[in-house]
Amino acid sequence: LAWVRMTSGNDEIILVTEQGKAIRFHEGDARAMGRTAAGVIGIRLAAGDRVMAADVIDKEIEASDLLIVSENGFGKRTALAEFNDQRRGGQGVTAIKLSDRNGRVAGAQIADAEQEVMLMSANGVVIRTRVAQISRYGRAAQGVSVMKLGAGDKVASMTVLSEQSDEADALVDTLADLEAAEKESKPRANGRTPKASKRSASLMA
Protein backbone atom coordinates (compact mmCIF):
# COMPACT_ATOMS: atom_id res chain seq x y z
CA LEU A 1 0.00 0.00 0.00
CA ALA A 2 1.44 3.36 -1.04
CA TRP A 3 -1.27 6.05 -0.77
CA VAL A 4 -4.77 6.56 0.58
CA ARG A 5 -6.82 9.60 -0.47
CA MET A 6 -10.35 10.75 0.39
CA THR A 7 -12.55 11.49 -2.62
CA SER A 8 -16.08 12.79 -3.16
CA GLY A 9 -17.12 10.13 -5.66
CA ASN A 10 -16.94 12.64 -8.52
CA ASP A 11 -13.26 13.60 -8.46
CA GLU A 12 -10.40 12.91 -10.84
CA ILE A 13 -7.20 11.06 -9.96
CA ILE A 14 -3.67 11.69 -11.22
CA LEU A 15 -0.86 9.14 -10.92
CA VAL A 16 2.82 9.97 -11.54
CA THR A 17 5.58 7.42 -12.09
CA GLU A 18 9.30 7.38 -11.33
CA GLN A 19 10.12 7.57 -15.05
CA GLY A 20 8.12 10.78 -15.48
CA LYS A 21 4.78 9.50 -16.83
CA ALA A 22 1.39 10.69 -15.57
CA ILE A 23 -2.20 9.64 -16.14
CA ARG A 24 -5.39 11.48 -15.23
CA PHE A 25 -8.74 9.70 -15.06
CA HIS A 26 -12.15 9.96 -13.39
CA GLU A 27 -12.42 8.01 -10.18
CA GLY A 28 -15.59 6.39 -11.52
CA ASP A 29 -13.31 4.31 -13.79
CA ALA A 30 -12.06 2.55 -10.65
CA ARG A 31 -15.29 0.92 -9.53
CA ALA A 32 -16.09 0.44 -5.85
CA MET A 33 -14.91 -2.90 -4.44
CA GLY A 34 -14.85 -4.73 -1.13
CA ARG A 35 -12.06 -4.47 1.44
CA THR A 36 -10.29 -7.65 0.32
CA ALA A 37 -10.29 -6.91 -3.43
CA ALA A 38 -6.96 -6.40 -5.21
CA GLY A 39 -8.19 -3.41 -7.22
CA VAL A 40 -7.84 -2.48 -10.89
CA ILE A 41 -4.90 -1.09 -12.84
CA GLY A 42 -4.52 2.69 -12.83
CA ILE A 43 -1.51 3.15 -15.13
CA ARG A 44 0.30 0.60 -17.26
CA LEU A 45 3.97 0.76 -16.27
CA ALA A 46 7.04 0.35 -18.45
CA ALA A 47 9.71 -2.15 -17.40
CA GLY A 48 11.41 -1.00 -14.18
CA ASP A 49 8.97 1.87 -13.61
CA ARG A 50 6.80 2.36 -10.51
CA VAL A 51 4.16 4.77 -9.26
CA MET A 52 5.70 7.55 -7.15
CA ALA A 53 2.67 9.73 -6.41
CA ALA A 54 -1.12 9.77 -6.42
CA ASP A 55 -3.35 12.78 -5.82
CA VAL A 56 -6.96 13.91 -6.14
CA ILE A 57 -7.88 16.73 -8.51
CA ASP A 58 -10.45 19.11 -7.09
CA LYS A 59 -12.33 20.57 -10.06
CA GLU A 60 -13.09 23.70 -8.05
CA ILE A 61 -9.39 24.60 -8.03
CA GLU A 62 -8.54 23.52 -11.57
CA ALA A 63 -6.05 26.39 -11.77
CA SER A 64 -3.72 24.47 -9.47
CA ASP A 65 -0.51 22.89 -10.77
CA LEU A 66 1.14 19.52 -10.60
CA LEU A 67 4.40 20.05 -8.72
CA ILE A 68 7.08 17.51 -9.61
CA VAL A 69 10.51 17.18 -7.96
CA SER A 70 13.30 14.90 -9.21
CA GLU A 71 15.87 13.06 -7.14
CA ASN A 72 18.69 15.43 -8.14
CA GLY A 73 16.86 18.45 -6.73
CA PHE A 74 15.15 19.80 -9.86
CA GLY A 75 11.49 20.69 -9.97
CA LYS A 76 8.74 22.47 -11.87
CA ARG A 77 5.05 23.29 -11.83
CA THR A 78 2.86 22.25 -14.74
CA ALA A 79 -0.75 23.36 -15.17
CA LEU A 80 -3.23 20.54 -14.61
CA ALA A 81 -4.96 21.63 -17.83
CA GLU A 82 -2.01 20.12 -19.75
CA PHE A 83 -2.97 16.64 -18.53
CA ASN A 84 -5.98 15.49 -20.52
CA ASP A 85 -8.56 13.22 -18.95
CA GLN A 86 -7.93 9.63 -20.07
CA ARG A 87 -9.26 6.19 -19.34
CA ARG A 88 -7.44 4.40 -16.55
CA GLY A 89 -5.06 1.59 -17.53
CA GLY A 90 -3.22 3.52 -20.26
CA GLN A 91 0.49 4.40 -20.36
CA GLY A 92 -0.15 8.07 -19.59
CA VAL A 93 1.71 11.08 -20.98
CA THR A 94 5.08 12.67 -20.29
CA ALA A 95 4.92 14.75 -17.11
CA ILE A 96 8.60 15.71 -16.96
CA LYS A 97 11.58 15.12 -19.23
CA LEU A 98 14.20 13.10 -17.38
CA SER A 99 17.95 13.02 -17.94
CA ASP A 100 21.21 12.41 -16.07
CA ARG A 101 20.94 16.07 -15.03
CA ASN A 102 17.71 15.84 -13.05
CA GLY A 103 17.39 12.09 -12.39
CA ARG A 104 14.21 10.15 -11.69
CA VAL A 105 11.01 11.53 -10.14
CA ALA A 106 11.24 11.73 -6.34
CA GLY A 107 7.73 13.06 -5.67
CA ALA A 108 4.75 14.88 -7.14
CA GLN A 109 1.72 16.60 -5.65
CA ILE A 110 -1.00 19.06 -6.62
CA ALA A 111 -0.21 22.54 -5.30
CA ASP A 112 -1.07 26.21 -5.76
CA ALA A 113 1.14 29.26 -5.56
CA GLU A 114 -0.01 30.22 -2.04
CA GLN A 115 1.29 27.00 -0.52
CA GLU A 116 4.75 25.91 0.59
CA VAL A 117 6.66 22.72 -0.08
CA MET A 118 9.09 20.90 2.19
CA LEU A 119 11.80 18.68 0.70
CA MET A 120 13.98 16.20 2.56
CA SER A 121 17.14 14.56 1.27
CA ALA A 122 18.42 11.06 1.98
CA ASN A 123 21.12 12.62 4.20
CA GLY A 124 18.49 14.39 6.34
CA VAL A 125 18.78 17.92 4.93
CA VAL A 126 15.44 19.76 4.87
CA ILE A 127 14.39 22.86 2.94
CA ARG A 128 11.09 24.73 2.93
CA THR A 129 10.17 27.09 0.11
CA ARG A 130 7.14 28.75 -1.44
CA VAL A 131 5.55 26.93 -4.37
CA ALA A 132 5.36 30.29 -6.20
CA GLN A 133 9.19 30.38 -6.32
CA ILE A 134 9.27 27.23 -8.45
CA SER A 135 8.85 28.09 -12.14
CA ARG A 136 5.98 26.93 -14.31
CA TYR A 137 6.88 24.88 -17.39
CA GLY A 138 5.23 22.56 -19.89
CA ARG A 139 5.11 18.80 -19.56
CA ALA A 140 8.26 18.20 -21.63
CA ALA A 141 10.56 20.50 -19.59
CA GLN A 142 13.20 19.23 -17.14
CA GLY A 143 12.60 21.86 -14.47
CA VAL A 144 14.93 24.14 -12.51
CA SER A 145 17.12 23.65 -9.46
CA VAL A 146 15.00 23.66 -6.32
CA MET A 147 17.32 22.04 -3.76
CA LYS A 148 21.11 22.09 -3.67
CA LEU A 149 22.42 18.66 -2.72
CA GLY A 150 25.75 17.44 -1.44
CA ALA A 151 27.82 14.84 -3.29
CA GLY A 152 25.92 11.56 -3.50
CA ASP A 153 22.79 12.95 -1.83
CA LYS A 154 19.30 12.60 -3.34
CA VAL A 155 15.85 14.03 -2.67
CA ALA A 156 14.01 11.42 -0.61
CA SER A 157 10.56 12.96 -0.11
CA MET A 158 8.42 16.07 -0.61
CA THR A 159 5.29 17.39 1.08
CA VAL A 160 3.14 20.36 0.07
CA LEU A 161 2.18 22.48 3.09
CA SER A 162 -0.13 25.36 3.79
CA GLU A 163 1.43 28.83 3.81
CA GLN A 164 1.75 28.81 7.59
CA SER A 165 2.36 25.29 8.83
CA ASP A 166 3.02 24.40 12.46
CA GLU A 167 3.43 20.82 11.25
CA ALA A 168 6.50 21.79 9.22
CA ASP A 169 8.09 23.59 12.16
CA ALA A 170 7.45 20.57 14.36
CA LEU A 171 9.09 18.29 11.79
CA VAL A 172 12.26 20.39 11.72
CA ASP A 173 12.44 20.34 15.54
CA THR A 174 11.93 16.57 15.57
CA LEU A 175 14.76 16.04 13.09
CA ALA A 176 17.09 18.12 15.23
CA ASP A 177 16.12 16.18 18.36
CA LEU A 178 16.69 12.84 16.64
CA GLU A 179 20.12 13.90 15.45
CA ALA A 180 21.06 15.11 18.92
CA ALA A 181 19.94 11.82 20.45
CA GLU A 182 21.98 9.87 17.90
CA LYS A 183 25.11 11.88 18.67
CA GLU A 184 24.59 11.41 22.39
CA SER A 185 24.37 7.65 22.00
CA LYS A 186 27.74 7.42 20.20
CA PRO A 187 30.77 7.52 22.58
CA ARG A 188 33.84 9.44 21.53
CA ALA A 189 37.20 7.80 20.94
CA ASN A 190 38.36 8.84 24.43
CA GLY A 191 35.38 7.09 25.97
CA ARG A 192 33.46 10.28 26.75
CA THR A 193 29.90 10.78 25.60
CA PRO A 194 29.36 14.11 23.83
CA LYS A 195 26.71 16.49 25.00
CA ALA A 196 23.55 16.54 22.91
CA SER A 197 23.37 19.45 20.53
CA LYS A 198 20.77 20.54 18.05
CA ARG A 199 21.80 21.26 14.50
CA SER A 200 19.22 23.27 12.67
CA ALA A 201 17.99 21.69 9.46
CA SER A 202 18.70 23.69 6.32
CA LEU A 203 15.78 25.93 5.50
CA MET A 204 15.08 28.07 2.47
CA ALA A 205 12.33 30.63 2.92
Side-chain angles (χ1 to χ4, degrees):
L1 182 64
W3 295 275
V4 177
R5 295 287 187 268
M6 295 291 292
T7 65
S8 68
N10 194 38
D11 291 319
E12 290 181 324
I13 310 298
I14 190 163
L15 306 178
V16 183
T17 77
E18 189 177 57
Q19 293 180 13
K21 292 288 187 177
I23 191 168
R24 173 180 179 174
F25 59 89
H26 193 277
E27 67 170 306
D29 286 348
R31 64 186 183 277
M33 298 181 180
R35 292 184 296 104
T36 59
V40 294
I41 188 168
I43 185 170
R44 202 167 299 277
L45 299 170
D49 202 1
R50 59 175 179 155
V51 175
M52 290 299 293
D55 214 342
V56 178
I57 298 174
D58 187 342
K59 293 181 180 179
E60 294 183 359
I61 51 172
E62 180 68 20
S64 294
D65 300 320
L66 180 65
L67 173 62
I68 303 179
V69 176
S70 68
E71 62 182 359
N72 291 342
F74 289 80
K76 66 170 182 172
R77 293 183 291 142
T78 300
L80 286 173
E82 294 200 29
F83 298 90
N84 295 328
D85 191 8
Q86 299 177 278
R87 299 287 295 180
R88 66 161 185 82
Q91 296 181 351
V93 298
T94 298
I96 184 172
K97 183 178 180 180
L98 301 181
S99 65
D100 292 339
R101 169 178 173 264
N102 60 357
R104 297 167 296 181
V105 172
Q109 197 170 340
I110 294 173
D112 59 54
E114 285 70 38
Q115 292 179 295
E116 295 181 334
V117 60
M118 177 171 281
L119 305 177
M120 180 183 294
S121 78
N123 288 344
V125 178
V126 177
I127 68 166
R128 178 178 174 181
T129 186
R130 292 179 60 85
V131 171
Q133 293 179 332
I134 301 174
S135 300
R136 245 184 167 192
Y137 289 99
R139 292 190 293 105
Q142 293 189 40
V144 295
S145 179
V146 176
M147 182 177 188
K148 299 294 185 182
L149 298 167
D153 201 5
K154 301 287 185 183
V155 174
S157 64
M158 62 164 282
T159 302
V160 174
L161 311 163
S162 59
E163 187 173 3
Q164 299 295 331
S165 176
D166 294 336
E167 178 184 359
D169 295 332
L171 177 57
V172 172
D173 291 339
T174 299
L175 289 171
D177 290 340
L178 288 173
E179 184 175 349
E182 183 180 2
K183 288 181 178 181
E184 187 176 9
S185 66
K186 292 180 180 179
R188 290 178 177 170
N190 60 8
R192 296 180 180 177
T193 301
K195 294 182 180 179
S197 60
K198 289 187 178 180
R199 187 186 70 181
S200 298
S202 300
L203 297 178
M204 181 171 68

